[in-house]
Amino acid sequence: MFPIDNKQVINQRQLSWLASSIVTSGGILTLQNELIRINQMDAWFSYLISILYVFLIAGFFGYMVKLYPDKNIFEMSKEILGPWVGTIINLLILFHFWQIVVRDISSVSRFSSTLLLHTTPLEILILLTCVLLIYFGKTSVEVIARVNDLFYPLFVVTMMIMPLLLSNEFYLRLTTPLLTMPLQNWTASSILTLGSAGDIFILGAFLHMLSNANHVRSAIRHGSLLGFFLLTLILFVIIAVLGPKMPASFSYPTYNLVQTIHVTDFLDRLDLVMLMIWYPTVTCKIITIYLALLLGISSLFNERNYPMINKPIALLLALSTCLSFKSTTELLSFSNFSSPVIVLAYQPFIMVLLVVFGYRKKQKYTNNFPNSDGGTHVKKDPKQNSGKLSQRMTYTQWLWGGNLILVICVAFVLIGLMLGEKSAMIGTICAVGFGSCLLLANLTTYMELTKLKQAENSN
C-alpha cells in the first residue's frame, strides 16, 4: 500500500470530460425506452429540466469551493455542520453513491450477459468489474481522468456520426407532429431524467482538486451540457429511425439503433466496434464513482488515504451487486423510477443546508477577523483579460449568455407544448429553436472554459 498524495490535481478539461462521461454513460443503457413510452415522439425534449438541475449543482459546487477551497464535499459538511451532523450528512451521500455503483455494475454486467456473453455466469461478470475497481482503487482520480481523456472523445465522435451512418434509414415523418404530447407527459419524462442528472453530485468528492470556483462551475456546466446534448441527439435519432412506438418495448434502444447501421455489405456489424468504445467510457464512470465512494468513507476517519480500504469495499460491492437485483427488469425499474426519487429526496436539502450554514459561518468568521483573506483564494475574474477582436465577450458575458439561451430553450418548449397541437408549424419552429439553442448553449459553455484557460495562461 502507498499513501495517496493530498495534492492531487485535475484540470478543468478533465473535470469537464468526467462530468460528460457521468451523464452519458448511464443514459445509453437505461431510461430511453421509458422516455419514449411516456412521451413518444417528443421524448427528446425530456432532458431540459435535468440540464437546469445540473447547472444548479454546478453553481452550488462553485460557491462552496469559493467559501472553502481545497476541501471536498465531505470535508465541507463536517466543517460547516460539525462532526456529528456532518457525519450523518456524509453517510446519506455515501449511501446514494453506493447505490449508484451497485446499479451501474449490475447494468453493465446484465447488458453483457443479455446481449453478448449469454453463457457466462453473471457473478463472473460482476467479479471481473470489481477486480478492475480494485486495480484503480490503488490510484487516484488523476489516473482515471487521463484514461477518460483517451476514450471519451472517441465516444463523442461515435455519437456525433450516428445521424450520418443512419442517414439512409431516416424517416423524419416518424418524429412529427412535434410538441403535441400533453404537458404532464413531458413533465413526467423530465422528472425521470433527474435520476441520471443527480449522478453528477459525485464530483463533489473531488472539489479539493481544483481551487478556482469558476473552473469548477464552468467545467461541470460544459461537460454535463455536452452529455445531455448527446443523449438528446441519440434519442432523436432513435425516434427518427425506429419510430415512437417500437423502441418503447426494447430494453436497450441505443443498441438496437446501432444494429440497424449498414454502411456496406461488409460493415454490417458496427455494433461490436461501438461497444469497444462504449465499454471503456461506462467503466470510467463506474471507477470514478467508486473512487468518490472510497474518498467519502475515508473522510469519516478524517483521512484521504483510501487504498487501505480498497479491497474490502470492492468485495462488499461485488456481494451487494449479486444480491441486489433478481432480474434485468427489476434493475431497470430501480434505475428508471427509484433514482429520481432518491435524488430529489436528499440533494436539494443538502445543498440548501450547506449554502445557508456555510455562508453564515463564513460571515461570522469574516466579522471576527476582518483582515483575514478568507475569500481571496479565488482568482480574478477573467473578464479583465479580454480585449482581442475575437474575444470581446468576457467570461461573465459568456456565462450569463449561456443561462439566457437555456431560458429561451425552456420558452421554446413551453410555447410549443401550449400551441403545437393547434399548429404543426409552430411545433416545428419551436423544436428547431430548441435544438439550435441547445447547440448554442454548448458553444457558450465551451467559451467559458476557453476564457478561463486564456486567463490562467496570461497570469
Side-chain angles (χ1 to χ4, degrees), residues 153-420:
L154 295 175
F155 178 85
V156 173
V157 171
T158 59
M159 293 294 101
M160 295 295 289
I161 65 174
M162 289 280 275
L164 177 63
L165 295 176
L166 290 162
S167 57
N168 58 331
E169 305 285 345
F170 260 61
Y171 191 48
L172 289 178
R173 229 179 132 180
L174 294 173
T175 64
T176 56
L178 292 164
L179 292 170
T180 54
M181 295 299 292
L183 179 61
Q184 57 267 28
N185 289 39
W186 175 74
T187 305
S189 62
S190 298
I191 291 175
L192 289 184
T193 62
L194 290 174
S196 58
D199 292 356
I200 209 75
F201 208 75
I202 68 168
L203 294 179
F206 312 117
L207 295 181
H208 60 284
M209 298 183 179
L210 290 93
S211 59
N212 191 306
N214 290 336
H215 288 176
V216 172
R217 181 177 59 243
S218 295
I220 296 177
R221 281 164 59 95
H222 176 62
S224 59
L225 187 57
L226 174 61
F228 283 121
F229 174 77
L230 294 177
L231 291 178
T232 301
L233 176 65
I234 290 302
L235 206 50
F236 175 79
V237 175
I238 289 173
I239 297 170
V241 173
L242 301 177
K245 298 289 186 181
M246 190 165 55
S249 61
F250 296 153
S251 296
Y252 305 105
T254 305
Y255 180 75
N256 295 105
L257 178 70
V258 174
Q259 286 184 314
T260 62
I261 298 176
H262 301 289
V263 178
T264 65
D265 293 338
F266 303 100
L267 294 176
D268 60 347
R269 286 306 306 271
L270 285 181
D271 55 318
L272 299 179
V273 178
M274 295 288 189
L275 289 176
M276 290 172 59
I277 299 173
W278 288 1
Y279 264 106
T281 305
V282 176
T283 305
C284 285
K285 176 197 176 183
I286 296 174
I287 295 171
T288 303
I289 302 173
Y290 176 66
L291 293 177
L293 181 66
L294 291 181
L295 263 172
I297 294 174
S298 61
S299 71
L300 298 176
F301 309 100
N302 298 318
E303 292 284 345
R304 288 182 185 171
N305 188 24
Y306 51 78
M308 65 180 66
I309 60 173
N310 175 32
K311 292 180 181 178
I313 297 300
L315 295 177
L316 178 62
L317 285 173
L319 182 62
S320 301
T321 306
C322 292
L323 299 176
S324 294
F325 305 103
K326 296 179 181 179
S327 64
T328 303
T329 303
E330 190 175 294
L331 167 66
L332 293 177
S333 297
F334 174 81
S335 300
N336 297 338
F337 301 110
S338 298
S339 296
V341 176
I342 296 170
V343 166
L344 294 176
Y346 88 97
Q347 285 185 4
F349 167 73
I350 288 179
M351 287 191 285
V352 171
L353 195 66
L354 292 182
V355 167
V356 171
F357 284 92
Y359 176 78
R360 289 178 60 183
K361 189 170 183 179
K362 207 68 177 179
Q363 285 294 104
K364 184 177 179 181
Y365 178 83
T366 305
N367 293 335
N368 291 337
F369 301 94
N371 294 326
S372 66
D373 59 345
T376 59
H377 293 278
V378 182
K379 294 181 176 66
K380 293 181 179 179
D381 193 322
K383 65 183 179 181
Q384 298 178 4
N385 299 313
S386 61
K388 294 182 179 179
L389 181 63
S390 61
Q391 302 169 352
R392 285 181 178 176
M393 291 186 66
T394 65
Y395 166 77
T396 305
Q397 289 173 335
W398 283 115
L399 178 71
W400 286 102
N403 295 338
L404 178 60
I405 290 174
L406 277 184
V407 172
I408 297 174
C409 266
V410 175
F412 272 127
V413 171
L414 293 179
I415 293 173
L417 289 172
M418 288 187 294
L419 303 177

Side-chain angles (χ1 to χ4, degrees), residues 118-133:
H118 306 286
T119 59
T120 304
L122 182 65
E123 293 79 8
I124 298 299
L125 297 175
I126 293 173
L127 186 60
L128 287 175
T129 306
C130 291
V131 169
L132 191 64
L133 294 182

